[in-house]
């Protein structure tokens, strides 16, 4: 079996799991976006995933996204930045990506908002939460989210759509479930604040290892790399 059919069958399998898990959880399939995470994956294989029916692609480095995007210009693709963003790369990130999932400070949000103004663009964004309070992870702690949302409310070029997290890793994905629940509950509390220009409809959580559990707990965006492209 060639590389091509591998990616094709991986995509088919993941889409089927998404569909089955949605049905089992009483959720609409259309409420869940599958982002195929293509960091370190060569562009030809990303193309195969798009041809196999993926519509969202995620990269965690601005530079890598910039290099790949023009080579995929003939295909339709919604491009997500899912890795840490430095303030001095805000312009390039806004030029390159359709979603930025990793805003974690008012300074960074201000830079991205400015970049959007310059490019006359409105960008859907997520706030990255360090849900497990791990020193090794990016994202802000839960307690800081209300203030950040209020500060970002005036950034009218940003369409604040919800929250994103990378939870602690556990061999047994069931152990991740409480963190997914936590992000969902945080999202609900933040929605109740009714901050202007803030929508809390998207929850980006779940990776290859645990995305069915994330969907059961309300994920609207799952970011899946290894299960589509193989081990990195
Ligand atoms: C790499 C990465 C993923 C995908 O991880 P897999 O385990 O390969 O599915 C998801 N989210 C982020 C932020 C990543 O960096």
């Amino acid at each position: 079996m060639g590389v091509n059919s591998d990616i094709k069958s991986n995509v088919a399998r993941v889409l089927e799991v998404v569909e089955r898990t949605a049905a089992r959880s009483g959720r609409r399939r259309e409420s869940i976006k599958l982002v195929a995470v293509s960091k370190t994956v060569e562009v030809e294989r990303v193309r195969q995933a798009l041809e196999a029916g993926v519509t969202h692609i995620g990269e965690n480095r601005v530079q890598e996204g910039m290099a790949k995007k023009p080579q995929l210009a003939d295909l339709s693709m919604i491009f997500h930045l899912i890795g840490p963003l430095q303030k001095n790369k805000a312009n390039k990130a806004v030029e390159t990506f359709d979603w930025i999932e990793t805003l974690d400070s008012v300074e960074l949000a201000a830079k991205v908002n400015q970049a959007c103004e310059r490019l006359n663009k409105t960008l859907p964004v997520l706030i990255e939460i360090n849900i497990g309070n791990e020193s090794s992870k990016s994202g802000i702690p839960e307690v800081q989210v209300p203030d950040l949302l209020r500060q970002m409310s005036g950034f009218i070029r940003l369409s604040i759509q919800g929250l994103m997290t990378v939870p602690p890793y556990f061999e047994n994905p069931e152990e991740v479930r409480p963190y997914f629940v936590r992000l969902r509950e945080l999202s609900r509390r933040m929605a109740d604040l009714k901050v202007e220009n803030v929508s809390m409809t998207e929850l980006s959580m779940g990776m290859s290892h645990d995305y069915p559990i994330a969907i059961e707990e309300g994920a609207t965006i799952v970011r899946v790399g290894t299960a589509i492209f193989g081990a990195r």
Side-chain angles (χ1 to χ4, degrees), residues 37 39 60 82-83 164 166 206-209 223-227 232:
V37 176
K39 61 185 181 217
N60 71 343
I82 62 165
M164 175 271 203
V166 181
M207 317 194 337
S208 293
H209 179 61
R223 309 178 309 264
V224 177
T226 309
R232 288 181 294 272

Side-chain angles (χ1 to χ4, degrees), residues 1-74:
M1 199 186 276
V3 161
N4 194 357
S5 45
D6 278 342
I7 289 179
K8 205 169 164 182
S9 58
N10 290 346
V11 167
R13 195 183 54 248
V14 171
L15 286 172
E16 193 188 310
V17 171
V18 169
E19 182 153 354
R20 220 179 323 118
T21 312
R24 186 173 75 221
S25 315
R27 301 190 49 203
R28 288 172 44 248
R29 164 67 187 89
E30 306 78 62
S31 70
I32 301 154
K33 300 176 189 55
L34 170 65
V35 175
V37 176
S38 59
K39 61 185 181 217
T40 77
V41 175
E42 59 193 77
V43 82
E44 203 37 54
R45 290 162 63 77
V46 183
R47 172 176 293 277
Q48 287 163 17
L50 287 163
E51 285 168 353
V54 159
T55 50
H56 296 259
I57 298 289
E59 281 287 343
N60 71 343
R61 301 184 57 188
V62 174
Q63 216 68 33
E64 193 172 340
M66 285 172 70
K68 283 175 180 168
K69 185 172 166 154
Q71 302 178 63
L72 297 164
D74 58 313

Side-chain angles (χ1 to χ4, degrees), residues 4-220:
N4 194 357
S5 45
D6 278 342
I7 289 179
K8 205 169 164 182
S9 58
N10 290 346
V11 167
R13 195 183 54 248
V14 171
L15 286 172
E16 193 188 310
V17 171
V18 169
E19 182 153 354
R20 220 179 323 118
T21 312
R24 186 173 75 221
S25 315
R27 301 190 49 203
R28 288 172 44 248
R29 164 67 187 89
E30 306 78 62
S31 70
I32 301 154
K33 300 176 189 55
L34 170 65
V35 175
V37 176
S38 59
K39 61 185 181 217
T40 77
V41 175
E42 59 193 77
V43 82
E44 203 37 54
R45 290 162 63 77
V46 183
R47 172 176 293 277
Q48 287 163 17
L50 287 163
E51 285 168 353
V54 159
T55 50
H56 296 259
I57 298 289
E59 281 287 343
N60 71 343
R61 301 184 57 188
V62 174
Q63 216 68 33
E64 193 172 340
M66 285 172 70
K68 283 175 180 168
K69 185 172 166 154
Q71 302 178 63
L72 297 164
D74 58 313
L75 295 169
S76 100
M77 153 174 100
I78 303 166
F79 211 20
H80 295 235
L81 180 64
I82 62 165
L85 174 58
Q86 287 162 348
K87 290 196 273 298
N88 62 5
K89 297 229 174 82
N91 278 317
K92 284 176 172 154
V94 170
E95 279 169 31
T96 307
F97 293 96
D98 305 300
W99 283 69
I100 294 182
E101 299 201 11
T102 50
L103 295 189
D104 62 359
S105 75
V106 66
E107 294 81 11
L108 175 61
K111 289 282 185 212
V112 173
N113 188 59
Q114 270 171 24
C116 288
E117 252 163 38
R118 200 168 300 137
L119 293 159
N120 195 25
K121 201 170 165 178
T122 302
L123 203 69
V125 297
L126 305 178
I127 313 294
E128 182 174 4
I129 313 297
N130 187 350
I131 202 73
N133 287 314
E134 296 170 281
S135 55
S136 62
K137 294 264 166 76
S138 37
I140 62 166
E142 284 188 60
V143 292
Q144 292 175 17
V145 183
D147 278 348
L148 180 59
L149 291 177
R150 289 190 188 103
Q151 290 169 314
M152 285 176 63
S153 174
F155 297 156
I156 58 168
R157 293 290 182 160
L158 305 184
S159 170
I160 304 164
Q161 298 284 308
L163 308 178
M164 175 271 203
T165 199
V166 181
Y169 179 82
F170 294 96
E171 193 70 47
N172 174 5
E174 270 302 327
E175 293 183 52
V176 189
R177 189 184 293 276
Y179 294 93
F180 292 148
V181 171
R182 231 173 133 138
L183 193 73
R184 185 187 67 221
E185 288 173 348
L186 174 65
S187 159
R188 198 152 294 164
R189 288 198 307 278
M190 295 307 99
D192 288 343
L193 297 179
K194 301 201 187 309
V195 180
E196 198 173 336
N197 184 34
V198 172
S199 154
M200 278 289 134
T201 50
E202 303 286 343
L203 272 179
S204 178
M205 55 187 195
M207 317 194 337
S208 293
H209 179 61
D210 52 22
Y211 69 94
I213 292 173
I215 291 172
E216 287 171 8
E217 297 302 341
T220 63

